[in-house]
Amino acid sequence: MQTLIDVDEMNILLGAQHCHWEDKGAFTGEVSAAFLKKLNVSLVIAGHSERRELFGETDEIVNKKVLAILRHDMTPILCCGETLDEREAGNAESKVEGQVQAGLAGVSPGDVARLVIAYEPIWAIGTGRTATAEDAQTMCAVVRKTVKDVAGADAAKAVRVQYGGSVKPANIAELMACPDIDGALVGGASLDPDEFAAIVTY
């Protein structure tokens, strides 16, 4: 894929959905950050809700991945988000705050500033349900405030905060109008060329 990007001089970056935190070892089936770097990968997702929910990845594991990705000079896309039960119990903000704090442990303010942090409410992924623009803005503001508390005002201003969760052409405009949303982590809609093009070209 990177060869095609280079040959056709495409103005896009290559990303990966997952990596292991160790550079080498007996981890059959895993791919290391070192290997991804050799493939000219620029961005790597860490802590996607499916990895957390289905594969039991803890905040500690996600933090190890973030540090590994940074160690190889790639950009982590640190994901955070709450379940429906956590939201209905009034624990959405504390859950996200905890995930962001844990994910950034040991990361310098300068490195925090170049991260992408994606808020993805688990209850809105692949369900057709979407957080309202107001919900998304509120939670993305929580992410930015947490970054400020952890790494300072400059990092909070520079970090890119994305919203992910049933992003579609129909809601991209109102989501991108929110002051604390800098972009979108697009899931299912990226599989439909027309829908994805409408989102990207908005």
Side-chain angles (χ1 to χ4, degrees):
M1 184 63 181
Q2 186 62 42
T3 301
L4 292 175
I5 292 173
D6 292 342
V7 170
D8 292 342
E9 298 182 351
M10 299 179 187
N11 190 26
I12 59 175
L13 300 175
L14 182 63
Q17 296 178 331
H18 165 69
C19 74
H20 196 272
W21 61 88
E22 295 285 359
D23 287 350
K24 57 181 67 175
F27 306 109
T28 300
E30 292 290 335
V31 60
S32 69
F35 181 77
L36 293 176
K37 181 63 177 178
K38 288 181 179 180
L39 295 178
N40 291 325
V41 167
S42 298
L43 304 111
V44 186
I45 295 175
H48 189 280
S49 61
E50 291 171 0
R51 297 296 310 181
R52 293 180 187 264
E53 296 292 307
L54 299 179
F55 296 93
E57 292 188 359
T58 63
D59 287 339
E60 180 183 10
I61 288 174
V62 173
N63 176 244
K64 288 180 178 179
K65 289 185 178 186
V66 168
L67 294 172
I69 295 162
L70 288 169
R71 188 166 65 246
H72 291 283
D73 198 30
M74 297 180 289
T75 300
I77 302 175
L78 171 62
C79 295
C80 58
E82 80 284 0
T83 66
L84 183 59
D85 287 345
E86 288 166 338
R87 169 162 282 270
E88 291 181 341
N91 297 325
E93 293 190 12
S94 61
K95 173 66 176 292
V96 168
E97 287 171 358
Q99 287 179 324
V100 173
Q101 289 169 351
L104 299 180
V107 180
S108 71
D111 280 336
V112 171
R114 65 188 186 95
L115 259 66
V116 176
I117 302 180
Y119 166 66
E120 43 161 14
I122 295 171
W123 49 270
I125 298 172
T127 64
R129 296 181 61 177
T130 309
T132 65
E134 183 179 358
D135 289 337
Q137 163 57 27
T138 296
M139 295 304 295
C140 287
V142 168
V143 169
R144 201 175 299 278
K145 179 183 181 302
T146 305
V147 171
K148 182 178 179 181
D149 293 341
V150 170
D154 289 344
K157 183 177 180 180
V159 71
R160 285 160 290 169
V161 181
Q162 296 182 334
Y163 169 76
S166 296
V167 175
K168 302 173 182 176
N171 60 27
I172 187 64
E174 62 178 351
L175 288 169
M176 292 308 301
C178 297
D180 286 298
I181 299 179
D182 303 316
L185 186 67
V186 184
S190 67
L191 302 177
D192 183 313
D194 293 332
E195 282 206 349
F196 191 53
I199 292 170
V200 171
T201 57
Y202 164 73

